[in-house]
Amino acid sequence: MRLRLMAIDFYFDFASPYGFIAAMQMQALTRPVRWHPFLLGAIYKAVGQSPLEHALKRDYVINVDAPRTARRIGLELKMPQGFPEHSLPPARAFYWIDQRDPTAAVAFAGDVYRKYRLQGRSTTDIEVVADCAVAVGFAREAVLAGVQSRETKERLAAENEAALRPRVFGSPFFIVDGEPFWGSDQIPFLNAAG
Amino acid sequence: MRLRLMAIDFYFDFASPYGFIAAMQMQALTRPVRWHPFLLGAIYKAVGQSPLEHALKRDYVINVDAPRTARRIGLELKMPQGFPEHSLPPARAFYWIDQRDPTAAVAFAGDVYRKYRLQGRSTTDIEVVADCAVAVGFAREAVLAGVQSRETKERLAAENEAALRPRVFGSPFFIVDGEPFWGSDQIPFLNAAG
């Protein structure tokens, strides 16, 4: 007899619009969710994938499908000019916060993601990260130093490595009791899985 | 005032499992559907895409997601050993039949697709194509000659070219009043589009 619901592992890159669309729906899941930000670039390099591949797919994703998918859940995406950029600052800050207060880390993830995808702020901008860390109770100087610490950098590198073990290769990606689900369109099926 | 519903253009490769999953749901659409089989290989070559890209995505699509997506609509996929193979015979036969009887061509497409994806028959096998053409009223010898005719080959080449104009780059792909939709997960949104 299984006495508790399996947690859902939620993998995402802070630069990913579909990761954002997924993050905004995690409260609809009936199971606990473990948030795992990672760097798609590191994963793509490991598995041999190219991001967005060609102009047609890139245009479809950025200008048609991601905004349309967001509008279906009432959100108006604002993509920054430089998209896609790397997301090292928020990924590192997430794990620095997570080490100190895991609940605050999830709140931070939602806050920072909204700034990127609803306000069009850059994922490379450390000031956005600092503002959101302050909003969940941390001192600005502490988080600015924290994201540069060797411990934080090693933690993110280890998390990127760890994402490869359950064969994660995209964002968002979910693992439920060993079963993989790729894409925000899979969210309606997660509660019943496992 | 618009007096009639816009047709939905449905692009697919007979080798594509998600194309099959889409084809089996076309009767749920409230608009007329125009079927456009094409060769993904030709499209991928034109736009610079690689099919299934890497082992992780390939394994996820073939062994996890395509069978699971099919089961959600009550179908049990059977993938042939050599998957993915080209689908020249059914694509050519479709257009040969379409030239003579467009309604029969759509019935043929459903029949032949079921043999590929539910019985695991090979998309390169001309006998499967001949059987299905006979089932919709054509003489075996006529279709076997027809798929080899210059006219049929040129028609398929022209259809592949034509698919690139509305920027189709995957299977299944839908165009509704100029709006592109990629993937079988988009079917629930097609009736309301355009």
Side-chain angles (χ1 to χ4, degrees):
Chain A
M1 193 168 117
R2 217 156 83 193
L3 288 168
R4 61 188 190 84
L5 284 169
M6 296 293 294
I8 292 172
D9 286 296
F10 166 40
Y11 297 86
F12 62 98
D13 186 314
F14 278 113
S16 157
Y18 298 110
F20 169 68
I21 289 164
M24 295 300 108
Q25 297 174 80
M26 289 299 93
Q27 76 287 354
L29 297 179
T30 55
R31 307 175 181 219
V33 176
R34 288 189 291 244
W35 293 51
H36 304 276
F38 70 109
L39 301 180
L40 261 184
I43 301 288
Y44 283 171
K45 197 173 167 187
V47 302
Q49 181 161 341
S50 53
L52 295 169
E53 288 194 287
H54 54 76
L56 260 54
K57 190 191 274 188
R58 186 188 157 83
D59 179 58
Y60 174 80
V61 165
I62 297 177
N63 298 320
V64 178
D65 191 61
R68 183 175 61 195
T69 306
R71 278 195 299 271
R72 287 177 191 150
I73 57 166
L75 300 171
E76 198 63 41
L77 285 195
K78 190 169 174 186
M79 305 292 275
Q81 285 297 315
F83 180 85
E85 299 175 303
H86 76 74
S87 59
L88 264 174
R92 284 184 180 158
F94 176 92
Y95 288 114
W96 181 82
I97 296 170
D98 181 63
Q99 199 77 17
R100 283 144 190 89
D101 182 346
T103 305
V106 171
F108 164 84
D111 287 353
V112 82
Y113 232 154
R114 278 184 286 271
K115 288 201 190 297
Y116 297 145
R117 297 289 156 247
L118 300 180
Q119 297 176 25
R121 302 294 299 273
S122 168
T123 50
T124 64
D125 186 346
I126 190 68
E127 297 305 323
V128 179
V129 160
D131 290 348
C132 291
V134 168
V136 295
F138 292 89
R140 188 171 206 92
E141 297 70 31
V143 69
L144 289 174
V147 296
Q148 294 299 335
S149 73
R150 181 170 161 181
E151 182 198 355
T152 302
K153 292 177 181 177
E154 287 177 353
R155 171 77 188 272
L156 177 57
E159 296 285 345
N160 282 333
E161 278 285 317
L164 284 168
R165 283 199 291 276
R167 302 167 70 84
V168 169
F169 62 84
S171 169
F173 210 101
F174 307 93
I175 305 285
V176 187
D177 206 7
E179 187 176 352
F181 295 85
W182 174 36
S184 62
D185 56 301
Q186 298 293 318
I187 293 173
F189 305 108
L190 297 181
N191 285 331
Chain B
M1 194 169 116
R2 217 156 81 192
L3 288 170
R4 60 189 188 84
L5 284 170
M6 295 293 294
I8 292 172
D9 286 297
F10 166 40
Y11 297 86
F12 63 97
D13 185 314
F14 278 113
S16 157
Y18 297 112
F20 170 68
I21 289 164
M24 295 300 108
Q25 297 173 79
M26 288 300 93
Q27 76 287 356
L29 297 178
T30 55
R31 306 174 183 221
V33 177
R34 288 189 290 244
W35 293 51
H36 304 276
F38 69 110
L39 300 181
L40 261 183
I43 301 289
Y44 283 171
K45 195 173 168 187
V47 303
Q49 180 159 341
S50 53
L52 295 170
E53 286 194 287
H54 54 77
L56 259 56
K57 189 190 273 187
R58 186 188 157 83
D59 179 58
Y60 174 80
V61 165
I62 296 177
N63 298 319
V64 179
D65 192 61
R68 182 175 61 194
T69 306
R71 278 195 299 271
R72 287 177 190 149
I73 57 166
L75 301 172
E76 198 64 40
L77 285 195
K78 189 170 176 186
M79 305 292 276
Q81 286 296 317
F83 180 85
E85 298 175 303
H86 75 75
S87 58
L88 264 175
R92 285 184 180 159
F94 176 92
Y95 288 114
W96 181 82
I97 296 171
D98 181 64
Q99 199 77 16
R100 284 144 189 88
D101 181 347
T103 306
V106 172
F108 165 83
D111 287 353
V112 81
Y113 232 155
R114 278 185 286 272
K115 290 201 189 295
Y116 297 145
R117 297 290 156 246
L118 300 180
Q119 297 176 24
R121 303 293 299 273
S122 168
T123 50
T124 64
D125 186 346
I126 190 67
E127 296 305 322
V128 179
V129 160
D131 290 347
C132 291
V134 167
V136 295
F138 292 88
R140 189 173 207 92
E141 298 68 33
V143 69
L144 288 175
V147 297
Q148 294 299 336
S149 74
R150 182 171 159 179
E151 182 197 355
T152 302
K153 291 177 183 179
E154 286 177 352
R155 169 79 186 272
L156 176 57
E159 295 286 344
N160 283 333
E161 278 285 316
L164 284 168
R165 283 200 291 275
R167 302 165 70 83
V168 169
F169 62 84
S171 169
F173 210 101
F174 307 93
I175 305 285
V176 188
D177 206 7
E179 187 176 352
F181 295 85
W182 174 37
S184 62
D185 56 301
Q186 299 293 318
I187 292 173
F189 306 108
L190 297 181
N191 284 332

